[in-house]
Amino acid sequence: MTVRRDFRNPARCRSDLVIGREEPFAEAREQLARGGSVLLHGPAGIGKSTVLRALAAENAGGAHTVLRCSATESESHLPFLALADLFGLVLERVSGALPAAQRTALESALTGRGESTLQRDGLALRLAVLSTLRALATEGPVLVVADDLQWLDSASTELLGFAARRLGDAPVQMLCAVRAEGTGGQEYDRHLRACPPDTHVVRLGPFSRAQVSALLDHRGYTGLSRTTVRDIHRTSDGNPLFALELGRALAESPARPRPGEPLPVPTSLRALVLSRLEMLSDDARRTLLVASAGARPTATLLHAAGRDHAEEETAQAAALGLLATDPEEPALRFAHPLISAALYAEAPAHERRAAHAALSTAASDPIERARHLALATTGTDPQVAARLAEAATLARDRGAPSIAASLGLLAARRTPADTADGTPGPDERRLQAAEDAIIAGEADLARDIAREVLTRATAPVERVRAWMVVIEAAGQALGEVDAVFPQVLADAGDDPRLLALVHYQLAWRELVVDGDFDKARREAAHAADLAARGKDRRTELMALSFQSSTETLMGHPDAPATVKRALREPQDPYVACHHNGAGMARFRWLLMSDQLPEARKSITGLLREARRRGMVESEVHFLRFLADTELRSGHCGRALDLARESLRLARDSGIGEGASAMLASLAEACGGDVERALVLAREAADHAEVDGDQMYLSRALAAFGYAQLAAGDAAGAVRSLRRVRELEQGMGIIDPARGRWHGDLAEALVRIGEPGEAQELINLTRVHALRLDRAGVLAVLDRAEALVRAARGEHEAAQEQLASAQDRLGRLGHGLEEARAAFALARLRARRPGAAPGHVPYDEAARLFRRCRALPWLRQVDAAVAAGPVEPEAVPAATSAALDGLASMERQVASLVMEGATNREIAARLFVSVKTVEATLTRVYRKLGIRSRVDIVRLAAGRRTE
């Protein structure tokens, strides 16, 4: 077996270290497991070699022979070099199996002794390569690993392709990687022809921002802010190699760039583009510098900026591969963002200022003109600062808070320290920028700005505003800023406006950190009163919205009145579309009241407005709430798409990751992959534990319990949902419409043979649901109670109750819950005496689940159909007395054991896990005073146990 030195011990290439490539890695792994071949392709630096080596390391153990080659551009002109790498160490092993003419031609090609060429020995060489691979395959599976296929010499490529197309059923697989910018063209086809016909092409695309962040963290660049990671992602265009080099340059740089400043381009990457930039004329280079400074450069803009020969100079750049050309796109686009970054970073400071000065008059957009004016000047300038502040306001109104934050910081730098006549000072403008950054989801930037202001601010208003930013930037991890509250209360003094801000945040602290809904409600009410006294309508509305939400979740009688107060005019546009605002309080009320169409309309409008305003955190949560609405409506496919979108945005921004993972778990359990649901629920619980967030910990555990129930682990679901019950009782949550987990817990309890506890839970929950008029909850409780009745042998009453629950859930629009009731009814009917085999009992449930696209539940229907009807327990008279003391589930398990069923067969027939069967049997042994399955069989035969 040949092993090149650079492929040995690939410790950094294990599959668990292939950051950001989990999906393509799994795709390639499955293809190789099926015996097929794989061609990885993508642009330079995208991670092809990393994935290739990880796959090779993972699959080498299953191959008898591994042949490897890795070409370089400088060697691509040397004929047969790749062939020598592949066969050089194995030729002696198989040469005896080759015909003399083939052996001679191949030895001549590999050793360089002789004059072997494709023109003269073409057929012999082609057949020799084919024969060599076949001979090696007779000894065992062969894996051919070829990296940088584009640099393979043409002779080796031709010979490999000839053999690959003719291997047939021989156990030879190829694992190759090739640099390719697109997905088509003659060059791409040529590389594909070098592989077997069954080769599966796996394209490696750019990383997302979250994947770039994970890669940088993995390599030790952990001190980078999210704003910096965003800039790295944008500059690298998601290329992992370029991202790592930019991260390394930042880590080595003595001073980090300020927001709006270009990233330092490392020498290793600068060399990739500077050689081509040096081929430009001086005028063309200056034209490209102006283009790199512009937000959306066009030939018209360049002309307005004084570049009279822009067309000729940009054509020269395009010919060198520096610009990407598109006849239908008027804007000029650099072939890669790194080219623009390197060009700008290399330019002298005075040339950059000159480019910005030209653009400050040439740009048509007032925001762009103001930004260029700031970058063209140095020092403080009140007029420039005023123009920048106006531009920031315009950006804010356009729904671009991130741009507003950048412009606000530029305005602060240009603002003199000794402002007068009511003109905002530099720190006031910094705080506005920090508040814009919070809205844009750039919490780390906002926190850094606020902390800087706090080092020198003395005015109570500025200090409290700064502390509010610090608290907001903490997100759900409010426990981390606990020490801030005494200080900010002292800074607020007796000013009702400032105290209202503090008590509003204290309300959140009581809810998130201590999980005390009643204290949180009282703090919110106090904040609303203080804000009203201070005539701060925005804070008053936010506090009322919070108060109404807590009261709704608590089942507090004042909830409807508080919601009306929160919705009373005058409204504040910001509060109206905020994820903790009055619109959100109304949506929550509609959702919990089963008004699903109105809830969908409400949250869709909120999402649209949040996107228009650039409110990233609100967008994350509104996507999640819309997914929740679709899930309750039984639109599982749509819910899954929305939940995944919310989770992607949450991970990219670092906002609401736990909450989005929780809802994504529910969506996966209903319409996707149950195993994925379990992973996401654990992730959500971990986030809540780390943040000390009691509120979302209960939601995460409820999602985990649901996923466990969907996976058939009823005992696990009971453990998780019992803990949810304890947490919510401790927090004072009474309204069962908050998490709607009560029916799932009752069902799981029935499955493990605890119908008594299930009935107690149903009775208690029904009291609150009746008082609060939660029709959907009541219908689900009836479905669960029907299962309790069935477990007690009341089959007719159970069927009637299930049919009624199904009908009511359907009329309420709860499509998935309706389908679950139909499924429970079908399973119950399949157990009735004389039930005939076939699909008929499950047709309605299958139809409803298909309508919902509830794939995991459809799989449960398929399993039920395959298992066939479950016969009623036929217990001998001599045995019935002994089983009378058992619970329903225990009797069913014992009866099936008497029939000779294994634990796995019992689990399949009763739709429970094997662990549940084992636990139930343990209770049966204890209650009957026996020791084993054999004793149960003896009971069935009427014999005494010993």
Side-chain angles (χ1 to χ4, degrees), residues 829-837 841 869-871:
R829 286 171 175 167
R831 293 193 178 99
R832 72 181 185 272
V870 179
E871 296 295 335

Side-chain angles (χ1 to χ4, degrees), residues 540 639 772:
E540 181 187 9
L772 297 167

Side-chain angles (χ1 to χ4, degrees), residues 282-349:
D282 289 343
D283 284 341
R285 186 174 178 131
R286 291 191 187 96
T287 295
L288 281 198
L289 176 60
V290 174
S292 72
R296 187 175 169 80
T298 62
T300 302
L301 177 66
L302 294 176
H303 276 294
R307 308 312 301 169
D308 297 333
H309 303 288
E311 285 84 355
E312 297 88 339
E313 289 157 356
T314 54
Q316 181 186 352
L320 292 171
L322 296 168
L323 292 176
T325 57
D326 185 349
E328 298 182 359
E329 176 57 55
L332 298 172
R333 184 168 59 86
F334 283 88
H336 193 282
L338 194 61
I339 297 172
S340 174
L343 174 65
Y344 190 89
E346 282 294 303

